[in-house]
Each structure stands twice: as structure tokens, then as C-alpha cells.
Amino acid sequence: MKIVNREWHLAHGRRLTLGPEARLMAIVNVTPDSFSDGGVHMGRESALHHAFTCLEEGADIVDIGGESTRPGAAPVSAAQEQDRVLPVIEALARQTDALISVDTYRAETARLALAAGAHIVNDVHGLQREPEIANVAAQAGAGLCIMHTGRGRTVLADPIEDQRQFFKLSLDIAARAGVTPETIVLDPGFGFAKETVEANIGLIARCSELLALGFPLLVGTSRKRFLGTLTGRDAQGRDVATAATSVLLRQQGASIFRVHDIKANRDALAVADAMLALAQDDGTGVDHKPRGDEIDG
């Protein structure tokens, strides 16, 4: 697998090198009902403490979310979402130089979060629920995570072809809004209307095919239900299985890993990166240069 190095352009003049080493995005859910940690980090101080811990453990990015995306979760208003995430983002931006992502599909929440200090917009609806979010990201020069979902629509029989068609629509929205390609990463959306073990494992096995779209991949298998089906463990007991999928997806060319447990995935991915480095050293064609530190513009 050829790992290509590139600079991911983010808001506020920041950049992050993708490729040489796996990057970790920490999940901080400021929600009462997320599937594995609902209520655990509810409130500004609890969420900040968890964010600081994740950064100490090696997270490159902190992803702040204020609305659960689990199936059947109660919807929240834009005002509720903003009341949850904005104080955390403001404090994190003030107290650290961490890269901050806001997990939202709402254009107004994204705009306020970027103004509060966020660098990245992570949209689980792939710009297709509120397309104006693409304009918000473009105006701020924000990093943009475009996720695939099969919820609420008919999906194609071939999962990769469905991903291609979905992302074509999303990327068209981004292009019309003036989003620059250097700000975009794609997320295949594990668990989002991929209901079976076979659907998710099959997507892991074919994930490298998505690299042909020309963008880095962000993946989020952390504690997902298919891992519980495979292992028989509840959500909090799925971190070892998550780390296994992270290694497999790193071998498939993924660059960013959105996870709950930073330590376990950091260690597992360090082994995967060592294998990639060895492949480069023995001439097998992996473009794996020494780690480049984060670059500020």
C-alpha cells in the first residue's frame, strides 16, 4: 500500500501532515445519549478534562460533538447543540493549541464553532443535509471531513460504488461552495447503515479502493456494534477489537483514526507504522518518510 504524504489545510492557518504516521482523532461527546459514552463527559468541565487526557495520551485532534448519531437517538435543537459544544471549544482553544474538530451537520453550529476556535468541520451527512455547511467551511478555510452514510436512502448493491456515487454528490457540493481540495478528507462511515458484520468487514477489506478518489481517509470503527457482534462484548469492552480494525485500515491506507481509546490505538498503530516503514526500507514501494511535525501556517 502506497502511503502518500500531504498537508491537510485547516482553519486559522493551521496544517497537519498526513501520511508518515497514523493520526488520532479523540472522540469527546458532550451528550447524554451517545451509544458508548453518553453522559460520561456531559458538561464543560468533564468534557475538557477528557479532552486534556486524550491530548496527553497522544491525540492529534479533539472532535467535539453535541448530538448523538446512534440510531434512534432523540434529536436536539441547534441551540441545544451549540450550548453543549461551544463552551468546550472556546475553553480548549483558549487553554491549548490543540487541533479542534466540531462534529456537526448544521451550518450555523459549524460557523459558530469555527469562530470559537475550531479548525475542522466533521459532517456525518456528507454536506447533503445542510449544504450551506460547505460554504461555511470554505469561507473559514476549515478542514472538512465528509462522511458517507446510507441512512435515509436506497443504497447500491456494491458498497464501493455506493461510496463513489455518494461522494461525487458531496464533492460537487464542496466544489460549488469553493472548498479547496487540500482541506478535504473522506470518511467511509462505518456503521452508518452498514448493518451487518459482513458489510463492515467487507468495507474494511476494500477501503483502499476509495483512495482512487484522491483524498486522505478518516475512519471511525471505534466501539461500533459490528465489533460487539464479533466479540460478544459491550461497547466499553470493544477497544481491543477497535485497535485491530485500526491496524487493518492503516494497511488499507487510512490516515486518521477517530477513536474513544487513544492509548490502545496509538500503540497498535505504532506497530502498523513500523511495518510500513520497513516496507519502505526494503523497497516495496511505500512512500513513508520520517514523521513531519504539525505545521502552522
Side-chain angles (χ1 to χ4, degrees):
M1 175 55 57
K2 185 176 178 62
I3 304 292
V4 178
N5 299 347
R6 64 181 70 194
E7 297 299 317
W8 188 20
H9 294 208
L10 313 174
H12 310 297
R14 303 286 292 274
R15 297 185 185 183
L16 186 67
T17 302
L18 301 180
E21 287 193 2
R23 296 294 192 172
L24 291 164
M25 174 184 275
I27 299 169
V28 180
N29 289 318
V30 195
T31 61
D33 57 348
S34 291
F35 77 94
S36 82
D37 57 358
V40 177
H41 310 303
M42 192 66 184
R44 175 181 176 275
E45 294 308 315
S46 178
L48 279 174
H49 177 75
H50 181 56
F52 294 149
T53 299
C54 290
L55 290 167
E56 290 171 0
E57 291 176 349
D60 299 286
I61 305 162
V62 179
D63 189 43
I64 312 294
E67 180 174 4
S68 174
T69 57
R70 68 174 176 82
V76 303
S77 68
Q80 286 175 303
E81 179 188 44
Q82 292 156 20
D83 286 346
R84 292 173 179 178
V85 303
L86 294 179
V88 180
I89 291 169
E90 289 168 352
L92 200 57
R94 185 172 61 251
Q95 297 178 41
T96 75
D97 64 352
L99 293 175
I100 304 167
S101 169
V102 60
D103 181 358
T104 186
Y105 60 84
R106 292 185 174 94
E108 182 61 10
T109 300
R111 185 185 68 78
L112 292 170
L114 292 166
H119 307 90
I120 299 161
V121 175
N122 180 15
D123 182 358
V124 299
H125 289 277
L127 315 182
Q128 296 184 34
R129 183 157 173 175
E130 289 194 15
E132 176 61 25
I133 199 169
N135 297 85
V136 171
Q139 289 165 12
L144 187 57
C145 305
I146 300 174
M147 198 194 81
H148 173 278
T149 182
R151 292 181 184 174
R153 64 183 184 84
T154 301
V155 299
L156 300 176
D158 182 271
I160 298 300
E161 186 58 32
D162 191 78
Q163 296 256 343
R164 290 192 187 105
Q165 291 202 16
F166 181 91
F167 283 133
K168 182 180 186 304
L169 292 174
S170 296
L171 292 168
D172 285 348
I173 292 168
R176 289 195 298 271
V179 175
T180 59
E182 294 81 8
T183 64
I184 295 173
V185 300
L186 302 180
D187 179 349
F190 288 94
F192 282 75
K194 292 87 171 171
E195 304 297 342
T196 66
V197 168
E198 292 76 14
N200 287 281
I201 294 296
L203 185 55
I204 290 173
R206 297 183 63 188
C207 205
S208 63
E209 295 178 43
L210 297 176
L211 294 172
L213 295 172
F215 297 94
L217 298 181
L218 179 154
V219 293
T221 59
S222 191
R223 300 181 180 175
K224 292 292 174 75
R225 182 172 58 184
F226 79 95
L227 297 177
T229 302
L230 282 169
T231 64
R233 298 186 182 278
D234 63 13
Q236 288 75 18
R238 299 171 189 167
D239 290 326
V240 173
T242 298
T245 63
S246 293
V247 169
L248 292 170
L249 285 161
R250 183 61 173 157
Q251 293 175 325
Q252 288 284 314
S255 294
I256 308 167
F257 300 80
R258 184 179 181 273
V259 297
H260 295 87
D261 187 323
I262 296 296
K263 281 184 179 179
N265 286 276
R266 179 197 63 196
D267 291 354
L269 286 164
V271 177
D273 283 343
M275 288 294 293
L276 291 174
L278 181 62
Q280 169 65 20
D281 290 343
D282 67 14
T284 56
V286 179
D287 180 11
H288 190 94
K289 299 174 183 176
R291 178 171 182 161
D293 291 336
E294 176 192 327
I295 298 174
D296 290 334

